[in-house]
Amino acid sequence: MNLFKKNIFFYLYVSLLILTNILILNNFFIDYTFRNTNFSDLQWFPSVLFSQNIDVYKLFYENKLQDLTFRSSFPNYSTVSIYIHLIISKMSFENAVKIWFLLFNLIMIYLYRVLKNKTDLKEIHIFLILIFFIFSKPYMQLLSSGQFSIISFFAFFLYFFFKKEKKFIGYFLISIKYSFLPIILIYDLIRYKRLTFFIFTLILSLIFVLHYTIYFGSNFFDNLVAPLLIGKATSASGVLDLQTLLGNFPNNDFLRYVLIFIIGTLAIIIIYKYTNREIIFDLSICSLLTLLIFKHLYYDFVLLLPVLIYSIVKTKKFVKILIILIIFYFWFLYLNVYSIPFLYSKIFQMINFVILSFLLFAIVFTNLKKPKYKN
């Protein structure tokens, strides 16, 4: 009985988490999220093809991928993703969904423990923040689509809150979905002045591509760039990021990516130089810059969770209220029956880019270094 009382918020959270997710699975919130629960993005099918000795990249180069792909599970992530999902490739899609659903909930339960052990949050605050989070529209879309972003999202917490092996595991998992990696790559280079994480990640990723190449007797370079080309051909437009706003400017893809990467690098350098170092602050900054600079869809706005945590722990009342209101807008008001026709309007995207940029500036100004005066 004492154990239950001691952990009452945790047990209540788990109960509400499971209940909410069951309701999501049964499309209870469909009018709220405007999306069916069909796990359409679950990367199950590319691994199924692999386990059946079918070269999914070859299908792409032969223009046959669109005809065979199950729902929208295009293999547009690192080749590592195909190997990770092999564990569910021998199952029916229905059973694979159950395993993914279980993993999703285990991640959310473990996240509660991470916040309890690694932050200054009171447990009642952890409970309220995560309940607020699991009722948000990005979270519901993330779960209902079977998106790999839940792994990327949790990997951010592994990378920032842990050391050594777990930190590297977080870094490696972040690298699987390309749009999540650049800001963390830049941050790691500046913060720790090391290349080891990047080099080890690159080597491991190349080993998987090499194995894939040997297994199918195909071209190594074609397999290396296939996920990027598939992503370009199949990915939807982002919602407000700089990459989306630039469109096809410059016309050369390589120059455009270099330009975006340079902007991300400069942003990190400037913020790093003029702010104090705190784990939850750095996590919040990297999350915001990831959303602002590189292409992301609406479900990726779960990355605003660290910003919400930072506001609760570190900011004063006025700033706290301001940050919460902006996050409330993106989690609950941004997607609605009136905004849907304008989601891909450049003007609407620019307005939301400015709002999210304002959130970044608000966070930065709460943690500026105090100027040093000479005597």
Side-chain angles (χ1 to χ4, degrees), residues 231-249:
K232 182 182 177 183
T234 62
S235 295
S237 172
V239 293
L240 59 75
D241 52 87
L242 182 62
Q243 185 175 351
T244 297
L245 291 173
L246 285 175
N248 291 322
F249 176 83

Side-chain angles (χ1 to χ4, degrees), residues 35-93:
R35 184 164 185 166
N36 280 310
T37 303
N38 58 11
F39 288 84
S40 57
D41 291 346
L42 181 61
Q43 294 288 301
W44 163 79
F45 196 62
S47 298
V48 169
L49 292 177
F50 181 92
S51 66
Q52 294 174 352
N53 298 319
I54 298 173
D55 186 348
V56 67
Y57 296 152
K58 183 181 178 182
L59 291 177
F60 168 71
Y61 287 116
E62 293 177 347
N63 294 316
K64 297 177 182 177
L65 186 60
Q66 293 273 9
D67 297 331
L68 283 176
T69 296
F70 183 80
R71 297 185 179 176
S72 57
S73 58
F74 296 102
N76 55 344
Y77 306 148
S78 163
T79 305
V80 177
S81 174
I82 293 176
Y83 288 83
I84 287 179
H85 290 84
L86 281 176
I87 193 170
I88 57 175
S89 65
K90 298 294 184 180
M91 304 176 185
S92 66
F93 180 72

Side-chain angles (χ1 to χ4, degrees), residues 213-275:
T213 300
I214 294 171
Y215 187 80
F216 287 109
S218 49
N219 183 280
F220 177 83
F221 181 75
D222 286 346
N223 295 333
L224 183 64
V225 300
L228 295 172
L229 297 176
I230 294 170
K232 182 182 177 183
T234 62
S235 295
S237 172
V239 293
L240 59 75
D241 52 87
L242 182 62
Q243 185 175 351
T244 297
L245 291 173
L246 285 175
N248 291 322
F249 176 83
N251 288 329
N252 185 287
D253 289 345
F254 179 75
L255 289 179
R256 184 163 64 253
Y257 295 140
V258 169
L259 174 63
I260 294 168
F261 188 82
I262 290 173
I263 292 171
T265 301
L266 290 175
I268 285 285
I269 291 173
I270 293 169
I271 292 172
Y272 187 89
K273 181 178 180 180
Y274 292 104
T275 56

Side-chain angles (χ1 to χ4, degrees), residues 23 60 82 136 142 184 201 247 265 271 345-346:
L23 291 174
F60 168 71
I82 293 176
S136 71
L142 190 65
I184 296 299
T201 295
T265 301
I271 292 172
S345 158
K346 286 292 183 185

Side-chain angles (χ1 to χ4, degrees), residues 143-243:
L143 173 59
S144 62
S145 63
Q147 247 293 327
F148 190 82
S149 287
I150 185 61
I151 304 294
S152 307
F153 162 76
F154 184 64
F156 266 62
F157 286 87
L158 284 180
Y159 172 78
F160 278 96
F161 283 117
F162 292 91
K163 298 178 180 180
K164 298 180 180 179
E165 292 85 2
K166 286 185 178 180
K167 195 176 194 70
F168 175 72
I169 291 171
Y171 187 100
F172 182 70
L173 290 174
I174 288 169
S175 75
I176 294 173
K177 194 167 181 180
Y178 299 123
S179 59
F180 284 82
L181 177 63
I183 294 298
I184 296 299
L185 165 63
I186 300 163
Y187 173 83
D188 195 73
L189 287 171
I190 295 172
R191 179 74 176 91
Y192 300 105
K193 298 176 175 61
R194 67 181 172 203
L195 275 169
T196 51
F197 273 22
F198 174 70
I199 291 171
F200 289 154
T201 295
L202 181 62
I203 291 172
L204 281 174
S205 300
L206 291 176
I207 288 172
F208 280 103
V209 177
L210 180 61
H211 179 269
Y212 188 96
T213 300
I214 294 171
Y215 187 80
F216 287 109
S218 49
N219 183 280
F220 177 83
F221 181 75
D222 286 346
N223 295 333
L224 183 64
V225 300
L228 295 172
L229 297 176
I230 294 170
K232 182 182 177 183
T234 62
S235 295
S237 172
V239 293
L240 59 75
D241 52 87
L242 182 62
Q243 185 175 351

